[in-house]
Amino acid sequence: MPCILNIETATEVCSVAVSVDGRVVFQKEETKGPSHAVLLGTFVDEAMEMLRAQNLKPDAVAVSCGPGSYTGLRIGVSEAKGLCFGLNIPLIALNSLKIMANGVSKMKDLQDYTLLCPMIDARRMEVYDVLLNKELQEVRPVSADIIDENSFAGYLGKERIVFFGNGAEKCKAVLKSEAALFLDNVYPRAFNMIGLAEEAYAAGDFVNVAYFEPFYLKEFVATALKNKVLAAVK
């Protein structure tokens, strides 16, 4: 089994984990972000120092590639690409929503629920989401949705769906159904990338380090400056 360094920065959470031969040997995360620009480099340095002490180095880097925070994804992917260039190792890209679902799919008390719907906040009533079965296969593709009472009408009721992620909280009042379950405090974590990254490594599922870009799903829209003096200077 390979040694893989996993980086996750798609939401306000910053996390890094390392697996060696299927074992988690390093894990660090901060949930009170966003502080990726400050913390990510420190977490990676600590992980690399631990590996050097054991005469090890990563065989690959896995990164959460989106959808999610534009700034967070840029920071995470830039760090991952820099490591891959410097160490001459391959890059694995993993969907942020699927990373969340990978953790939830292992929960034993959800047997009665057939579909998983991870959601990442995309401002106002819009979320990035995907519908997956318990094997993490897509039932409905990744999309940016404005949630209303008719969202998931073709699925919710016919299927029992688990909703989770930082976009699910604002949907509770809208998606009212006995077939819906909302889980709190679920977010993408580097720890939940490990199994997915090892599968990708075994399959040789790598991306081009030079040309790879995060999966933003939507174009970045900059917020207009409120201070007219600053705006004029810009």
Side-chain angles (χ1 to χ4, degrees), residues 72-119:
L73 292 173
R74 294 293 297 180
I75 292 171
V77 169
S78 295
E79 179 78 18
K81 291 174 74 169
L83 287 166
C84 289
F85 273 122
L87 298 171
N88 193 29
I89 56 177
L91 177 63
I92 297 166
L94 300 175
N95 183 280
S96 311
L97 295 166
K98 193 171 183 179
I99 292 167
M100 274 198 291
N102 189 43
V104 171
S105 68
K106 296 177 174 61
M107 295 182 180
K108 296 180 179 179
D109 55 349
L110 299 178
Q111 290 90 340
D112 294 337
Y113 291 84
T114 53
L115 297 181
L116 307 176
C117 186
M119 291 178 159

Side-chain angles (χ1 to χ4, degrees), residues 52-70:
R52 283 192 293 270
Q54 300 182 34
N55 294 316
L56 295 170
K57 78 165 194 171
D59 296 301
V61 175
V63 67
S64 176
C65 67
S69 159
Y70 183 94

